[in-house]
Amino acid sequence: MKPGIHPPYAPVVFRDKAGGFAFLTRSTATSDKTVEWEDGATYPVIDVEISSASHPFYTGQARVLDTAGRVEKFEKRYGGGSGGASGRRSEGR
């Protein structure tokens, strides 16, 4: 790596406010807030909205979309696909 052009890469704690989950990693991100970690050292802390501890996909609370029901609802409302865009060709061409 070329010296003097890269930001400092140091330990940082990322904390999920919603999930009550925090992890220590290395990052170029910095913060003015600090937290005392399990090892007794003080690290900068970055609060995040969502992490794997609170994201619905990873927690198993994700909703499955009913795409078949949506298609049926669309067909019921707008006529059901018997002559869509491919059936509207001009005979003069």
Side-chain angles (χ1 to χ4, degrees):
M1 288 190 339
K2 195 172 188 179
I5 64 169
H6 299 285
Y9 186 66
V12 177
V13 174
F14 285 90
R15 179 173 54 190
D16 181 358
K17 298 290 269 187
F21 175 71
F23 59 94
L24 176 65
T25 187
R26 295 180 58 88
S27 177
T28 58
T30 60
S31 175
D32 294 333
K33 297 179 187 176
T34 59
V35 66
E36 187 173 330
W37 192 243
E38 299 163 353
D39 61 1
T42 301
Y43 298 106
V45 63
I46 297 175
D47 293 323
V48 295
E49 298 284 328
I50 296 176
S51 73
S52 61
S54 62
H55 193 280
F57 179 79
Y58 296 107
T59 60
Q61 298 173 350
R63 294 183 300 158
V64 177
L65 295 177
D66 181 19
T67 54
R70 288 182 176 194
V71 171
E72 291 167 1
K73 189 175 181 180
F74 178 84
E75 288 177 351
K76 181 180 176 185
R77 182 180 291 169
Y78 295 108
S82 63
S86 62
R88 296 183 184 171
R89 295 188 179 161
S90 175
E91 293 182 23
R93 292 186 186 181

